[in-house]
Amino acid sequence: MKATAKSPANIAFIKYWGKKDPKIRVPLNSSISMNLSNIYTVTTVEFSPSFERDEVDIVNGEFSEKEKQRIIEHIDRIRKKAGVQYKVKVLTKNNFPKGTGIASSASGFSALTVAGAKAAGLNLSTKGLSILARLGSGSACRSIPDGFVEWQAGNSHETSLAYSLYSASYWEICDLVVIISKKEKKIASTKGHSMAQESPFLMLRVDAVEKRIKQIKKALKNKDFSLLGGGIEAEALNMHAVMMTSNPPIIYWLPKTLEVMLAVQKWRGEDLEGYFTIDAGPIVHIICQKKDANKFKERLTKISGIKDVIVNEPAEGARLVNQHLF
Ligand code: PMV
């Protein structure tokens, strides 16, 4: 059977960095994120007795052998769960070109999970899909439920999953994704998670994360934008302090990254309220209220060297769609 899914990327307000159980991607701490409306993946999966070998391809880019292998490993999990032995055809398409520096593992593995499970005849709940997506890539489990999402760390395979805190229409805030460099990141997050263990700050971070989660949840509940933004920015710097103090150190920022971070803080002190957050790469995400998104975009495009700004609103989670890619 053939099935197709569309799934968003997500931006973490509270980050996932470091694993309790690397083999099954159980994280050291819970995290909170928002699904993104304008960065997504569409994937079609088909299992058929007429296929002679597994085939994996991407429409607008190229997969390395390592990436293909990781996708097939995930397909194997689905085949095993469904008792399916047929070979597979997977075709995937991002709405952003590969190599923009935008991480695609969250949207990619969540779309693969939803399409793959359906194509294999599995009938999984949102909870079940989130657990399965987590095995492909940790942050992918947060792209399954709608809108604003919490990934409860849990302490076992069954208890580590994400669920929706609020729907996408709950709050009109935006994430402006500022493309600074189109190069692939230097250290993949899978490696970065294990290197975090070397940082003397990792456990300090984990011990204090509960307090920051409470702050973000309170800000979401009360729609208190300043409280939310302050928490998001502090959290990003906290995670990057762990990255920078790993051994060897990981510095994901480029000079332009810092330039945008400082501009956001300067504008905030003047007349425009926004807060930055950064994942495992040089791209800066600016969280602002929807009414201010255009103003930010105008100012950002005046900074030399900025390649693109993608404006995102909160989005639904992964969905089956009717239009197949093949
Ligand atoms: O899911 P992974 O292994 O790509 O890890 C994601 C890590 C960060 O993007 C840096 C943080 C997060 O919570 O998304």
Side-chain angles (χ1 to χ4, degrees):
M1 193 172 141
K2 188 192 279 190
T4 301
K6 176 182 172 188
S7 187
N10 66 73
I11 182 64
F13 296 165
I14 295 290
K15 309 288 189 186
Y16 148 54
W17 198 245
K19 297 174 199 169
K20 222 181 285 180
D21 189 338
K23 261 180 47 206
I24 53 168
R25 293 190 156 87
V26 172
L28 279 170
N29 60 273
S30 298
S31 52
I32 295 180
S33 62
M34 178 180 105
N35 287 332
L36 304 181
S37 60
N38 264 327
I39 303 180
Y40 57 84
T41 300
V42 176
T43 298
T44 300
V45 178
E46 184 176 12
F47 294 98
S48 168
S50 65
F51 297 156
E52 282 171 11
R53 57 189 171 88
D54 291 331
E55 232 179 87
V56 175
D57 214 346
I58 181 163
V59 173
N60 44 352
E62 220 173 285
F63 279 135
S64 65
E65 279 314 307
K66 214 172 150 195
E67 286 169 321
K68 281 188 187 170
Q69 197 188 327
R70 191 165 161 195
I71 291 167
I72 291 300
E73 273 168 27
H74 200 57
I75 288 290
D76 283 341
R77 290 182 190 112
I78 294 170
R79 273 195 279 237
K80 195 170 165 205
K81 204 171 169 64
V84 167
Q85 269 143 24
Y86 300 146
K87 297 292 179 199
V88 77
K89 184 169 174 185
V90 177
L91 187 60
T92 196
K93 186 179 176 183
N94 295 323
N95 77 323
F96 53 93
K98 217 170 161 309
T100 41
I102 297 175
S104 51
S105 71
S107 57
F109 277 97
S110 48
L112 182 69
T113 302
V114 172
K118 180 75 182 170
L122 288 170
N123 192 10
L124 298 179
S125 61
T126 307
K127 191 174 148 181
L129 288 166
S130 179
I131 291 172
L132 185 56
R134 194 200 74 235
L135 296 174
S137 170
S139 56
C141 77
R142 294 190 310 236
S143 288
I144 300 282
D146 287 341
F148 298 86
V149 170
E150 176 169 18
W151 173 7
Q152 160 196 302
N155 46 29
S156 64
H157 176 55
E158 288 77 20
T159 55
S160 188
L161 61 108
Y163 61 91
S164 180
L165 292 169
Y166 299 100
S167 72
S169 59
Y170 174 71
W171 196 2
E172 292 195 327
I173 60 175
C174 286
D175 174 16
L176 271 51
V177 179
V178 187
I179 312 289
I180 276 162
S181 156
K182 299 205 169 185
K183 289 203 187 106
E184 297 269 332
K185 57 189 161 199
K186 282 181 296 192
I187 295 172
S189 51
T190 304
K191 190 153 179 233
H193 286 290
S194 62
M195 286 166 70
Q197 304 291 341
E198 301 285 327
S199 166
F201 298 150
L202 179 67
M203 289 327 283
L204 290 175
R205 165 177 164 71
V206 171
D207 288 345
V209 80
E210 223 20 73
K211 210 169 140 198
R212 291 200 300 280
I213 288 179
K214 270 200 190 129
Q215 175 181 342
I216 296 292
K217 280 190 172 169
K218 186 173 165 199
L220 284 172
K221 185 168 177 233
N222 300 335
K223 296 191 182 168
D224 181 337
F225 185 66
S226 305
L227 186 68
L228 179 81
I232 287 174
E233 211 173 272
E235 164 64 6
L237 291 169
N238 186 302
M239 177 183 71
H240 280 270
V242 169
M243 292 165 159
M244 288 175 190
T245 50
S246 294
N247 187 17
I250 318 176
I251 302 174
Y252 283 114
W253 304 351
L254 292 173
K256 232 358 116 185
T257 311
L258 192 56
E259 193 181 329
V260 174
M261 290 158 73
L262 294 176
V264 170
Q265 290 190 330
K266 179 172 169 282
W267 296 333
R268 192 160 77 228
E270 295 165 359
D271 57 343
L272 195 56
E273 189 179 10
Y275 299 86
F276 63 75
T277 181
I278 305 153
D279 283 338
I283 286 178
V284 183
H285 295 247
I286 301 174
I287 309 298
C288 68
Q289 295 171 90
K290 192 178 171 186
K291 65 176 176 62
D292 293 328
N294 282 337
K295 246 185 253 167
F296 268 107
K297 205 172 168 183
E298 260 167 44
R299 290 189 192 185
L300 286 162
T301 38
K302 282 190 195 130
I303 298 179
S304 74
I306 292 201
K307 310 229 181 298
D308 201 3
V309 179
I310 305 172
V311 181
N312 293 278
E313 296 185 28
E316 288 182 329
R319 288 275 181 287
L320 286 167
V321 293
N322 293 327
Q323 226 175 347
H324 302 307
L325 294 178
F326 62 89

